[in-house]
Amino acid sequence: KQEVTQIPAALSVPEGENLVLNCSFTDSAIYNLQWFRQDPGKGLTSLLLIQSSQREQTSGRLNASLDKSSGRSTLYIAASQPGDSATYLCAVRSDNYGQNFVFGPGTRLSVLP
Amino acid sequence: EAGVAQSPRYKIIEKRQSVAFWCNPISGHATLYWYQQILGQGPKLLIQFQNNGVVDDSQLPKDRFSAERLKGVDSTLKIQPAKLEDSAVYLCASSLGTGTLGQPQHFGDGTRLSIL
């Protein structure tokens, strides 16, 4: 069974800092991995999708990396802003387990002005 | 393009009552998902449709939950009868095409269900 964990559960940083969010998964036979952002009372907004053949993806101030062999992905946020405050979730689509997304519990990020 | 639409946004019912949620996916998206998200947790897949056929409903509590996707577009998710542990946000998502493994999922804002 694929299990996804995210560390830390919560993070508070001052505005302008660069930060890293971590995602770990137990089964490295993945198809792809997707990072989402969730604002309070809202659905999930897709940030980056990394296919299993890729090492990283970039969008603006966001960079996501994937290391399948070690079962890890990181989301790097450069020059954080208060508007980045949200919960960040990673989801793994496995080659096994019906090929459906398994989500981590999320990291709640607060960027202080 | 218009996003995934869900209604209602909020619902409060008493236990043992029934409730239904509605989802309209992004136009042209063949795959539709229903997720349950309990407070403080990531979403858990309940059911996946490909057009109007069920691809995976292995985590759907079939004694009380049912879902349909008539004509391969809109979908409804029903709970009957509701239990206290069903209190959660129910999220609908869709993705493009029939070979969707490489495609991102797009989510609606969800329906927040509270069971009294």
Side-chain angles (χ1 to χ4, degrees):
Chain A
K1 176 184 172 185
Q2 177 73 275
E3 293 184 0
V4 181
T5 55
Q6 291 185 246
I7 294 173
L11 180 64
S12 185
V13 301
E15 181 177 4
E17 264 200 19
N18 302 325
L19 59 100
V20 174
L21 307 180
N22 296 292
C23 172
S24 298
F25 44 95
T26 54
D27 186 346
S28 61
I30 69 168
Y31 196 87
N32 55 37
L33 183 147
Q34 193 167 358
W35 280 95
F36 293 89
R37 167 189 173 134
Q38 187 172 32
D39 292 285
K42 294 287 190 179
L44 282 66
T45 300
S46 177
L47 298 174
L48 291 163
L49 173 69
I50 310 178
Q51 305 295 348
S52 63
S53 58
Q54 297 173 321
R55 298 280 297 182
E56 63 180 284
Q57 281 282 351
T58 298
S59 176
R61 295 183 294 109
L62 305 180
N63 176 275
S65 67
L66 175 63
D67 184 345
K68 273 196 346 177
S69 60
S70 66
R72 287 192 215 168
S73 176
T74 60
L75 179 67
Y76 174 83
I77 303 177
S80 59
Q81 303 170 358
D84 295 330
S85 298
T87 297
Y88 291 80
L89 299 108
C90 68
V92 175
R93 175 165 258 158
S94 301
D95 280 343
N96 305 315
Y97 316 115
Q99 297 180 321
N100 285 310
F101 273 121
V102 177
F103 280 82
T107 294
R108 189 170 65 254
L109 173 66
S110 297
V111 180
L112 306 175
Chain B
E1 64 181 1
V4 176
Q6 290 189 247
S7 67
R9 289 283 283 122
Y10 305 93
K11 191 73 178 178
I12 301 173
I13 62 172
E14 296 185 348
K15 60 183 179 183
R16 291 188 288 274
Q17 287 187 325
S18 60
V19 64
F21 314 125
W22 173 82
C23 173
N24 180 239
I26 293 173
S27 177
H29 280 199
T31 308
L32 185 147
Y33 310 81
W34 282 103
Y35 289 89
Q36 180 192 59
Q37 186 177 24
I38 293 172
L39 188 64
Q41 299 180 18
K44 182 185 83 171
L45 180 71
L46 294 175
I47 189 167
Q48 178 187 347
F49 291 95
Q50 188 73 27
N51 296 308
N52 61 349
V54 175
V55 173
D56 184 352
D57 63 357
S58 57
Q59 298 191 92
L60 187 73
K62 298 180 186 65
D63 57 334
R64 297 183 301 105
F65 286 64
S66 64
E68 61 181 9
R69 190 183 184 197
L70 299 176
K71 301 179 182 178
V73 181
D74 295 2
S75 177
T76 56
L77 176 69
K78 296 179 182 177
I79 307 175
Q80 181 181 13
K83 292 186 174 181
L84 292 175
E85 60 260 35
D86 298 332
S87 293
V89 175
Y90 291 84
L91 295 164
C92 179
S94 69
S95 62
L96 180 66
T98 54
T100 59
L101 292 183
Q103 297 288 337
Q105 295 187 32
H106 301 270
F107 282 77
D109 284 343
T111 296
R112 183 176 301 275
L113 175 65
S114 298
I115 311 294
L116 303 179

